[in-house]
Amino acid sequence: MNMSAWQKFQNRFKAIRDNKVFELFVIGVIIFSSLMIGVRTYPLPSMAETILWGLDYAVTLFFVIEISIRMAAEERLRDFFKKGWNIFDFVIVVVSLIPLDDSEYALIARMLRLFRVMRLISFIPELRVLVSALITSLPRMGYVALLMFIIFYLYAVIGNLMFSTINPVLWGDLGISLLTLFRVATFEDWTDVMYETMTVYKLSWMYFISFIFFSAFVFLNMMIGIVVDVLDEEHKKMELEKTGEQQQEQQAFEADLKAQVDELNRKLDLLLVNQKP
């Protein structure tokens, strides 16, 4: 196959890849594949199981064809792997090729097929922004989590020293105390824990109220603030990328139009030269 023939195929692959109908169809197949996995959690007749097995193989084949089209549409194959989301999709498709037989790996293969639904993230820009914001905010959230752990640790040690004789089930050691504080932080019957300690220490409510103030109000709002701030930054980046793509399309259109005009002028000049006596 010569270069021009491959270029024609590549242009067709690009047209398919950039087609919105094709993109929506891929999203529909991803959702359908996820629903199939959910349906298989119910007891089904043998005929239905056979049909689902066939559909699973058909979906796997479609994903292989779809990822192949996207890879072939690139000017160079390595350009495909320069984008993190393309690598993400490629790994999921490769994992989907693990056969679903009765071997000991069948359960793992079925569980890995659940990740197909995560391909929706790479196809829906808004989901990509949310995931990118979450990943970008993780380092900042890590420092908040570290500070939160320090507060949990201090309160757990204090709780063990003060309340272990009242209820060793909740305050018997450091690990159990941390779990109890997590229960308090999530407001799971925390008043029962507090009232139990108040039968011995009347002012123990100050311990619980101050802990809830730090954990539920201060640190939680800090986490939310970080995510909202990063999400706003990611939205701005997406808008800049869209603006850049529009400018590139406009420049490409203008260059193509200029080339067509120059070609017409050249042909017109040749026509005028040929018509001279």
Side-chain angles (χ1 to χ4, degrees), residues 204-218:
S204 62
W205 61 267
M206 299 175 62
Y207 170 88
F208 293 94
I209 297 300
S210 60
F211 174 75
I212 288 175
F213 174 78
F214 283 114
S215 62
F217 298 124
V218 176

Side-chain angles (χ1 to χ4, degrees), residues 226-244:
I226 290 172
V227 174
V228 170
D229 183 55
V230 175
L231 189 59
D232 182 62
E233 294 176 2
E234 291 297 325
H235 275 295
K236 290 179 180 178
K237 288 181 183 179
M238 186 176 70
E239 292 297 328
L240 289 174
E241 289 177 359
K242 287 183 178 179
T243 303

Side-chain angles (χ1 to χ4, degrees), residues 253-269:
F253 174 76
E254 291 176 355
D256 184 59
L257 184 62
K258 184 177 182 300
Q260 292 180 8
V261 171
D262 292 341
E263 181 66 19
L264 288 174
N265 289 332
R266 188 182 65 81
K267 291 181 178 180
L268 182 60
D269 292 339

Side-chain angles (χ1 to χ4, degrees), residues 5-20:
W6 170 249
Q7 192 68 33
K8 291 180 180 178
F9 277 110
Q10 195 172 52
N11 291 334
R12 292 179 182 175
F13 291 145
K14 287 181 181 179
I16 295 173
R17 181 196 63 184
D18 299 333
N19 190 292
K20 291 296 180 182

Side-chain angles (χ1 to χ4, degrees), residues 155-202:
Y155 273 83
V157 173
I158 295 172
N160 171 259
L161 295 175
M162 294 181 60
F163 310 135
S164 60
T165 55
I166 299 175
N167 190 341
V169 175
L170 297 179
W171 307 98
D173 54 40
L174 177 62
I176 294 175
S177 299
L178 287 171
L179 290 175
T180 302
L181 288 176
F182 184 79
R183 169 184 171 181
V184 173
T186 56
F187 301 108
E188 176 62 29
D189 293 332
W190 72 276
T191 53
D192 295 340
V193 180
M194 181 182 67
Y195 290 142
E196 184 182 42
T197 60
M198 287 178 64
T199 58
V200 179
Y201 300 101
K202 296 295 184 184

Side-chain angles (χ1 to χ4, degrees), residues 3 15 24 44 51 56 69 101 116 125 132 150 171 177-178 185 198 212 217 240 263 270:
M3 198 65 182
L24 291 174
L44 299 171
I51 294 174
D56 183 84
I69 290 174
D101 51 20
R116 284 175 174 175
S132 298
I150 293 173
W171 307 98
S177 299
L178 287 171
M198 287 178 64
I212 288 175
F217 298 124
L240 289 174
E263 181 66 19
L270 289 174

Side-chain angles (χ1 to χ4, degrees), residues 18-59:
D18 299 333
N19 190 292
K20 291 296 180 182
V21 176
F22 178 73
E23 185 175 320
L24 291 174
F25 183 74
V26 173
I27 292 174
V29 173
I30 295 171
I31 295 174
F32 176 73
S33 172
S34 305
L35 292 176
M36 282 198 309
I37 296 174
V39 168
R40 296 185 69 171
T41 61
Y42 295 93
L44 299 171
S46 57
M47 179 62 69
E49 283 283 351
T50 304
I51 294 174
L52 287 176
W53 276 81
L55 290 174
D56 183 84
Y57 282 115
V59 168

